[in-house]
Amino acid sequence: MKINKIIACTGIALLSISAQSCKKFYDVNDSPNNIQEAPIEQLLPSITVAVGYVGVSDLYRYSGLMAQQFTGNTTNVSQTFKEYERYNINSSDVNNQWSNIYAGILADIDKLIQKADQQNSPHYAGAAKLMKAYIFQLLVDSWGDVPYTEATKFLDNLKPKFDKGEDIYRDLARLIDEGIADVNKATSVLSPTKYTTIYASTDWNVSKKQWTRFGNTLKLRLFIHYTAKDAAYASTKITDLINSGAEFMQSNADSFVMPFLAVAGRQNPNASVEGGQFKNAFFPNKTIVTMMNAKSDPRRPAYFIPFPYNSSPATYKGGNATEAASVAYSRLNTFLKGTATINTISMNSDGSLKDGSITWGGEAPARLLTFAEYNFIRAEAALMLSAPGSAQTFFENGIRASMLDAGVSAADITTYIAANGTLTGTDQQKLEQIINEKYTANFGVVMEPWTDWRRTGYPALTALPISVAVYDKIPRSLVYPQYEKNSNPNVPARADMMARVFWDVRP
């Protein structure tokens, strides 16, 4: 596995953290004034920032394009995003994301767990274990079988085996339990209160509740993914977890998000992407725009910035700047916190936006797992798995949580729920309602909208035609990175992006 380290680029004064395996090459004539290893108070914020970056970088873009929440600008100088949208994601495209996760985030997490154990600080170890479980869940949902038991060993094992995705999932439940137990230990020399960018607080009793609620909600996400493959297993696990008295997210304040600021060096990376190399490259896809238009969804002003063109939304097909501009421009990474300002409205003769027409404030958070999603998971579990609770109640609560997060007024929430908030029809029709609303609420959430489509078939997405795309079907997983295939004989054979993750058994 490639040995490098990724330094999270933020405005926070973080130390560069070197891989343990690299230290031997640089320990000659070191100044005694130099810090050789970052303390755990420095490690944790570096990790939480890096986890946030995963939520707004390549995996976010790949999955958002596959799930038809976003579309690429074909007239952009670099057609990278449009190539991704037509399913042209190559092994070399995923090198950086794979490396950032394994040689960066996971290596640092393992180091933090080790140091926290050595320093009798289980609260730090617990937070690290919960984030490790979250990252591996994303890895499995993206690639399927990935290195797990032999991951991040570096020089001790440059050719790690690939564990089965289902085996990893089963162990993640154990890892989450360990993490929850650690953050709730009665004593810990150090506790991550202000030394984190996620769930920061001056009171550990507040933070530990949020970490605990996140861990239990993450377990629900893992178990709900099993529904199509093994409904009995999913039902038993979810019912047992609920009946155990476990605490789950209770409000939007408990959502697992990484905040950013509208300050140079501390802004959502998409502000740099959209304002730099890939200027004006990412637009809302017609699928989500049409769904929201059909319901006069009051979240639209928080999700999109409309252009003042007199084109009918009915003509919007998605896939190029002219059509996208006819309907809306997306606030990348969602909601009013991600302010975007239109300085000038002008287009080139080919229909592309002129450079400089959009600037981004950059304070949109990376939304990784939200309270709204929790409610939709519970709604699906109650409907399809006979788990405790009312599907109708959780369905309404999910809509309400999403609306509140988007800054919608109480009156508009009431109106929307009155028109769209009642489950009707067969169980499959009710499931479609739940997943469709979850899809809108999870706008910009990394991976989950694509995952929901793969496992349920909702929302109803239409693949691009083969005349445009590489495949005539929507892909089911990512290809493995090229450098891993070049150096590791254990990489599973995979011809294309049609290979399925273990829970993806839908025809």
Side-chain angles (χ1 to χ4, degrees), residues 300-373:
R300 286 176 297 174
Y303 284 22
F304 314 123
I305 295 177
F307 277 92
Y309 297 117
N310 297 320
S311 298
S312 167
T315 66
Y316 176 47
K317 306 298 184 184
N320 66 56
T322 305
E323 292 166 339
S326 299
V327 181
Y329 191 90
S330 171
R331 291 182 187 272
L332 284 185
N333 218 38
T334 76
F335 301 161
L336 293 170
K337 299 170 187 175
T339 54
T341 303
I342 301 176
N343 290 334
T344 60
I345 302 297
S346 56
M347 300 180 74
N348 297 313
S349 59
D350 63 1
S352 63
L353 297 169
K354 287 185 177 179
D355 287 348
S357 61
I358 302 294
T359 58
W360 294 90
E363 67 267 40
R367 301 171 62 249
L368 307 168
L369 198 167
T370 69
F371 176 58
E373 181 184 333

Side-chain angles (χ1 to χ4, degrees), residues 150-162:
E150 296 180 359
T152 67
K153 294 184 181 297
F154 301 110
L155 291 180
D156 291 333
N157 186 352
L158 292 174
K159 300 174 182 179
K161 72 174 183 179
F162 280 58

Side-chain angles (χ1 to χ4, degrees), residues 51 54-55 59-60 63 69 130-142 169-170 172-173 176 180 199 212-230 233-235 237-239 241-242 247-249 254-257 366-381 385 435 438-439 441-452 454-456 501-503:
V51 169
V54 170
L59 291 186
Y60 152 84
S63 60
Q69 291 195 332
L130 293 176
M131 287 187 289
K132 181 175 182 177
Y134 177 83
I135 289 295
F136 269 109
Q137 175 248 309
L138 291 184
L139 284 169
V140 172
D141 293 350
S142 302
Y169 250 52
R170 302 272 178 149
L172 292 184
I176 291 170
I180 291 173
Y199 297 145
T212 299
R213 291 167 183 167
F214 160 63
N216 286 321
T217 304
L218 179 60
K219 285 179 71 175
L220 286 179
R221 180 193 269 188
L222 291 172
F223 296 146
I224 202 70
H225 288 176
Y226 275 90
T227 302
K229 176 181 174 55
D230 191 341
Y233 174 82
S235 177
K237 288 296 184 180
I238 291 176
T239 298
L241 181 59
I242 294 170
E247 279 196 41
F248 305 104
M249 292 179 179
D254 290 332
S255 292
F256 188 60
V257 301
R367 301 171 62 249
L368 307 168
L369 198 167
T370 69
F371 176 58
E373 181 184 333
Y374 158 72
N375 282 285
F376 290 119
I377 291 172
R378 290 293 304 269
E380 180 184 348
L385 303 173
I435 300 300
K438 184 181 178 185
Y439 174 84
N442 271 355
F443 178 60
V445 172
V446 59
M447 196 56 60
E448 204 61 16
W450 186 29
T451 292
D452 281 339
R454 286 179 287 172
R455 67 183 187 82
T456 70
V501 176
F502 79 92
W503 43 252

Side-chain angles (χ1 to χ4, degrees), residues 298 400 403-404 407-419:
R400 191 177 304 278
M403 296 270 180
L404 289 172
V408 176
S409 70
D412 285 343
I413 295 173
T414 298
T415 299
Y416 184 90
I417 289 178

Side-chain angles (χ1 to χ4, degrees), residues 428-443:
Q428 276 300 313
Q429 289 171 327
K430 291 177 181 178
L431 177 62
E432 183 174 14
Q433 286 179 266
I434 291 169
I435 300 300
N436 284 356
E437 284 292 344
K438 184 181 178 185
Y439 174 84
T440 302
N442 271 355
F443 178 60

